[in-house]
Amino acid sequence: MRDDLRILADRSYRMLFLARTLSLLGSAVIPVALAFAVLDAPGGSATDLGLVLAARSLAQVALLLFGGVLADRMNRFRLMVGSDLLAFAAQAVLTVVFVSGQPSLPVVIALSAVNGAAAALFLPASRGVVPQVVAQEQLQSANALLRLSRNSTTIGGAALAGVLVAAFGAGWALAVPAATFLGSALLLAGVRVSHPGRAATGTMLADLREGWREFSSRSWVWLVVVQFAFVNGCFSAIYVLGPLTAKEQLGGVTAWSVIVTAQAVGLVGGSLVAMRIRPRRPMRVAVLATFGFLPPFALIAAGAPVWLIAASMLVNGVCIDIFEVLWDTALQNHVPNEALSRISSYDAMGSFVLGPLCLAVVGPVAERIGVAQTLLIAGGVLGLVTVATFSARSVRQLPARVPAAQPATV
């Protein structure tokens, strides 16, 4: 692990790592602080909170492809700085709106949408910059450290949000993410890279079509993206029916908190494991790891003891991060850097396309056929899709790197 940490000695990567850590910390505080800010406002309700969260999600999904095109047409670090500054401005105004004591729901919805737009600009660019600041042989270590930062800040940010809301109120707690976004922008502004990216040629629509060709011509890419559309869709059953099962059979919120915390710990452990492994066929190992997603469906459906469900979610967390690190590294090794952000945006859109729909229907389906049956069907569908993905030769045989003298694998 000491060898993996040496990459932090590189100034450009260190600045990127610190900026991402700050930004992710702020992003982890927002859901808790915003939820309590909306619910504590005069007349605040769950419906209001749903509208606010939906506005952010829809804006992010709607603009992801645009963000991917922009990130492949301009200096990615400048785009990340701009998106951080946009998020800072929206978050700062949101803080003022809530601290004033009379927040307007349409204004809060609009500011939440601006935050989603900023995230849509940031995400594709952030996935494309890593190969610009580290050597190819350091990519997996770089990605693993960034995932470790993400997972650690997710845990720490949620805890920090609780402390801030209790100590200062939800409105003032929203000021902390504003400060972290500004700090991230300042750090990223100091990064210098020798290869800032390609010059823009042609129209944005042409770039979007070219990005689709790059995406669709690599079967190992789109097959895994299709798999993860089902992963995220099927896991809606866990996120909706898991808490319900905990409430009715396992002892309530404490039980579900233990289960979710176990998954978070697993995510951190997965980052550490991913630093050490160097498979010759990375996507073979990555997709094999996704079979670890299946046990929680059966265990929750069976009303298994909390410790056993928590253990399965810990394994799930480890497997998620092993997959994510190997997936990011494979994309960076096999996709031309000038198309990487666009492919990342298609990846993000495709992976989450079924999520909102499944979140909306899983409750009614469970009411009709039963909670256990819904969980088992979701797990069964996920298992079949995972087997189908692993059976694809382009996925199993993808090498760790493209030999220097050869073009990228298509």
Side-chain angles (χ1 to χ4, degrees):
M1 184 174 177
R2 184 177 300 175
D3 290 340
D4 296 294
L5 294 176
R6 286 176 184 168
I7 193 173
L8 291 170
D10 180 272
R11 181 182 180 276
S12 293
Y13 179 77
R14 185 171 65 253
M15 299 283 274
L16 172 63
F17 178 83
L18 292 174
R20 288 288 301 277
T21 300
L22 269 180
S23 180
L24 291 166
L25 180 65
S27 296
V29 169
I30 288 175
V32 177
L34 184 60
F36 281 93
V38 171
L39 295 174
D40 290 345
S45 67
T47 299
D48 293 345
L49 178 59
L51 290 172
V52 171
L53 297 178
R56 186 186 193 284
S57 178
L58 288 173
Q60 182 173 346
V61 171
L63 293 174
L64 266 172
L65 293 182
F66 177 71
V69 171
L70 275 183
D72 281 339
R73 288 174 67 90
M74 61 183 292
N75 185 302
R76 288 169 178 146
F77 280 98
R78 291 178 183 172
L79 181 58
M80 291 165 69
V81 170
S83 66
D84 266 337
L85 291 176
L86 181 62
F88 158 71
Q91 198 66 29
V93 175
L94 195 63
T95 301
V96 173
V97 166
F98 278 108
V99 170
S100 70
Q102 293 295 326
S104 164
L105 182 60
V107 172
V108 174
I109 289 174
L111 291 170
S112 186
V114 172
N115 257 326
L121 297 178
F122 189 93
L123 178 61
S126 68
R127 296 183 72 175
V129 295
V130 179
Q132 294 179 240
V133 297
V134 303
Q136 187 182 44
E137 61 271 15
Q138 295 177 307
L139 282 174
Q140 190 167 322
S141 295
N143 289 323
L145 282 172
L146 289 172
R147 287 291 303 182
L148 181 61
S149 169
R150 179 187 185 90
N151 297 327
S152 301
T153 53
T154 297
I155 298 171
L160 176 62
V163 172
L164 291 171
V165 170
F168 305 105
W172 284 110
L174 291 169
V176 172
T180 63
F181 292 142
L182 180 59
S184 174
L186 293 174
L187 287 168
L188 290 171
V191 177
R192 299 290 180 267
V193 293
S194 56
H195 303 289
R198 71 182 179 91
T201 58
T203 65
M204 294 189 69
L205 185 59
D207 277 356
L208 197 60
R209 287 196 295 263
E210 181 187 342
W212 173 253
R213 287 194 296 270
E214 293 280 2
F215 174 82
S216 61
S217 66
R218 293 169 167 81
S219 61
W220 66 272
V221 173
W222 63 258
L223 281 168
V224 172
V225 170
V226 169
Q227 178 198 4
F228 266 75
F230 282 93
V231 168
N232 290 308
C234 291
F235 254 84
S236 298
I238 297 286
Y239 299 139
V240 173
L241 302 180
L244 179 63
T245 302
K247 178 181 178 181
E248 295 181 348
Q249 302 180 31
L250 303 176
V253 66
T254 301
W256 188 244
S257 177
V258 169
I259 291 167
V260 172
T261 301
Q263 185 188 40
V265 172
L267 290 169
V268 174
S271 300
L272 298 175
V273 172
M275 284 185 189
R276 307 307 304 152
I277 60 175
R278 294 293 187 275
R280 289 188 303 141
R281 306 292 179 185
M283 291 313 301
R284 178 183 300 183
V285 175
V287 176
L288 271 175
T290 63
F291 283 99
F293 298 178
L294 301 177
F297 290 90
L299 292 172
I300 296 174
V306 172
W307 71 266
L308 189 55
I309 298 174
S312 74
M313 290 294 276
L314 186 145
V315 172
N316 170 261
V318 171
C319 292
I320 287 173
D321 243 56
I322 290 174
F323 171 86
E324 290 287 353
V325 171
L326 294 178
W327 171 246
D328 285 346
T329 306
L331 287 176
Q332 293 159 0
N333 276 325
H334 290 271
V335 172
N337 189 260
E338 61 270 17
L340 185 55
S341 289
R342 280 169 291 171
I343 285 187
S344 293
S345 65
Y346 278 114
D347 166 26
M349 278 201 67
S351 295
F352 289 103
V353 68
L354 295 181
L357 174 63
C358 291
L359 282 169
V361 304
V362 68
V365 170
E367 289 178 2
R368 185 174 182 84
I369 68 173
V371 170
Q373 290 80 357
T374 303
L375 285 164
L376 291 174
I377 290 171
V381 170
L382 179 53
L384 289 173
V385 173
T386 302
V387 169
T389 305
F390 187 74
S391 68
R393 187 175 183 276
S394 62
V395 173
R396 295 195 319 275
Q397 298 300 320
L398 188 79
R401 297 184 192 175
V402 178
Q406 297 180 10
T409 301
V410 176

